[in-house]
Amino acid sequence: MMGSQYLLTCVCFWLPLVSFTISVASQKSTTGPGNVIEGNVFINGTTSIGRIDDDFVCATLDWWPPEKCDYGTCSWGRDSLLNLLTLELRTLIVYIAAFSPLKIRLGGTLQDRVIYERTGNGQPCSPFVKNNSEFLGFSQGCLPMSRWDELSVFFKKAGAVVVFGLNELSGKTVDSQGSAVGAWNSSNAESLIRYTVNKGYNIIHGWELGNELSGNGIGARVSADQYASDISSLQNVVQNIYAGFKVKPQIVAPGGFFDATWFTDFIKKTPKSLQVVSHHIYNLGPGVDDHLIEKILDPSSLDSTSQTFSSLQSILKNSGTQAVAWVGEAGGAYNSGHNLVTNAFVFSFWYLDQLGMASSFDTKTYCRQTLVGGNYGLLNTSTFAPNPDYYSALLWHRLMGNKVLSTRFSGTNKIRAYAHCSKKTKGITLLLINLDGNTTVQVRVSTENNSGGTKNSSMHEIQIPRTRFATMLRVRGSKRVNDTRKEYHLTAKDGDLHSQTILLNGKILNIDSSGLIPPLIPIDVNQLDPIIVAPFSIVFAQIPYIKFSACN
């Protein structure tokens, strides 16, 4: 102990005399051409600024049939809740089970056109049919109970928890101005909920009412007053059917685009009947936009949703409700996304930035549109093989813990930085996203105290002289100096942002012949070395030697 103290004292004595940046030869494979600059990430570990669910990462499955087409392209295939085949469901189990559990939201635009089969009533249960003269361009569709049985058994085997989106337009009429008038008719939804409980399907985490009917709505809209009344009706149905259950499903709504006035009014009127306030995000515009990549790589474009998160957080805090915020659906670019953009490596910049931003505003769950289907699935629509965002989501799920830490970065606005207490291990995990294709950034980490000042949190922040003494320090110094961190560097194959192949620490991630997910193996890096963030790359750094009171 005395020797270690002496060595550290000597380090402090020598530092003012001579210094230089330690070489990081072991990480050359993660760097690229162009400029090399330094940056600093500052983390306040005194207290957490948010807390996410253990199953923060969520994905959706939609109702769109094969006939759903956008801009002349039909990208959904047979990936609808009504069309997925038994063989395909078995393939999905592996990818869902890897999250253990994965929260899955069942819904989308057509959920307000779905009725649920009632056994024994003799009424036909027909699928959606394309009809441009009808509301939302499709006829009413029906969920057969045999299909619900199949899906329920599948979700249970996969270890998924389900948020089911119910039809809020049941019993309503939509006038020529798009206003949905009348009270919600709960009878059909009640039959589905009761059937689910009677069959012992304990997969339901929440019942969500309506899809994109808040504010101005998409296709139709419901007033905040009427929506609040309908939510109260749903709460009564759930409380009645689940009477005697120790844990009851949550009530989720409105599953629409954020409108501050509408949401404020709605939340104030549902103080006890609503547990989750859900909203949707498609901030990049239509999938046909040829400038999607420019938007994804633009910091100001990425920041565009911060006001939504901030406003909703403020409304919840000031309303007295116990409800929490979720992103119930987010595909970035609406109308099914854009092939080789929203299902390619470049979209991980947007997606992981969204996860980081949402969590920093105390959002509890973030549901990606979709698990499979359209051009923005975590899985390939045809082969079900993981797209790059699947691996990004899995790394987030495994590394980023519940507690969110205040984080800021200086040096360039092209680095996005987020930090959480690590998941199931000591220390913190730092996420760094480099939006610059020509600049490598050498990142050092500092911590902030209560007064806003900074201090070194680990020896890799200090520039140490390359002398015999420094070498001796590495060999004989304290355990703190010899600590290592684990790094996960994500890059695109051949540097192509449109690539659907992702590399982890220079190695391609591919499922094996049995369909198993490859191991996500980090590299060990000495804490004396800066974190090297290559051009157009993403880095998760799991740092055990930074210990914060917020993480205790």
Side-chain angles (χ1 to χ4, degrees), residues 532-548:
I532 304 299
V533 189
F536 286 154
S537 76
I538 297 163
V539 180
F540 287 92
Q542 194 178 57
I543 310 173
Y545 47 79
I546 297 181
K547 299 178 177 66
F548 286 137

Side-chain angles (χ1 to χ4, degrees), residues 287 292-293 296 336-347 374-376 380 387-388 496-501:
L292 288 177
I293 288 185
I296 292 167
S336 305
H338 189 117
N339 189 37
L340 299 182
V341 176
T342 53
N343 54 11
F345 176 80
V346 69
F347 210 52
N375 286 319
Y376 36 34
N380 183 280
N387 284 325
D496 180 8
L497 295 182
H498 294 279
S499 177
Q500 292 183 297
T501 300

Side-chain angles (χ1 to χ4, degrees), residues 244-265:
F245 282 66
K246 186 176 181 180
V247 178
K248 299 178 176 63
Q250 294 183 307
I251 304 300
V252 184
F257 293 104
F258 180 74
D259 177 299
T261 301
W262 193 98
F263 270 65
T264 299
D265 196 20

Side-chain angles (χ1 to χ4, degrees), residues 327-378:
V327 173
E329 181 183 315
Y334 58 82
N335 288 344
S336 305
H338 189 117
N339 189 37
L340 299 182
V341 176
T342 53
N343 54 11
F345 176 80
V346 69
F347 210 52
S348 281
F349 295 143
W350 177 86
Y351 180 40
L352 287 174
D353 188 71
Q354 277 283 299
L355 296 184
M357 186 185 300
S359 62
S360 68
F361 286 99
D362 205 32
T363 304
K364 305 301 183 184
T365 288
Y366 192 104
C367 299
R368 168 62 178 267
Q369 175 83 345
T370 60
L371 176 62
V372 60
N375 286 319
Y376 36 34
L378 295 178

Side-chain angles (χ1 to χ4, degrees), residues 454-522:
T454 62
K455 63 178 181 178
N456 291 333
S457 62
S458 59
M459 293 297 291
H460 78 263
E461 304 162 295
I462 304 173
Q463 294 181 322
I464 297 180
R466 182 179 293 278
T467 63
R468 181 180 178 185
F469 179 78
T471 302
M472 180 173 65
L473 176 63
R474 287 180 180 272
V475 177
R476 296 175 55 192
S478 68
K479 181 180 179 181
R480 176 177 170 78
V481 175
N482 287 320
D483 274 343
T484 61
R485 62 180 178 270
K486 296 186 181 300
E487 293 183 0
Y488 303 77
H489 294 251
L490 299 176
T491 52
K493 183 181 179 184
D494 301 324
D496 180 8
L497 295 182
H498 294 279
S499 177
Q500 292 183 297
T501 300
I502 190 170
L503 279 65
L504 174 60
N505 297 323
K507 297 182 179 179
I508 292 176
L509 291 176
N510 271 331
I511 56 174
D512 65 16
S513 58
S514 301
L516 296 179
I517 299 165
L520 305 180
I521 302 173

Side-chain angles (χ1 to χ4, degrees), residues 1-24:
M1 178 65 71
M2 289 296 292
S4 296
Q5 290 175 345
Y6 174 77
L7 288 172
L8 289 174
T9 300
C10 292
V11 169
C12 296
F13 175 79
W14 282 98
L15 277 176
L17 300 180
V18 59
S19 67
F20 68 94
T21 303
I22 298 170
S23 69
V24 284

Side-chain angles (χ1 to χ4, degrees), residues 389-401:
D389 280 2
Y390 176 87
Y391 294 110
S392 297
L394 190 55
L395 280 171
W396 173 287
H397 176 75
R398 290 180 179 179
L399 300 175
M400 305 295 271

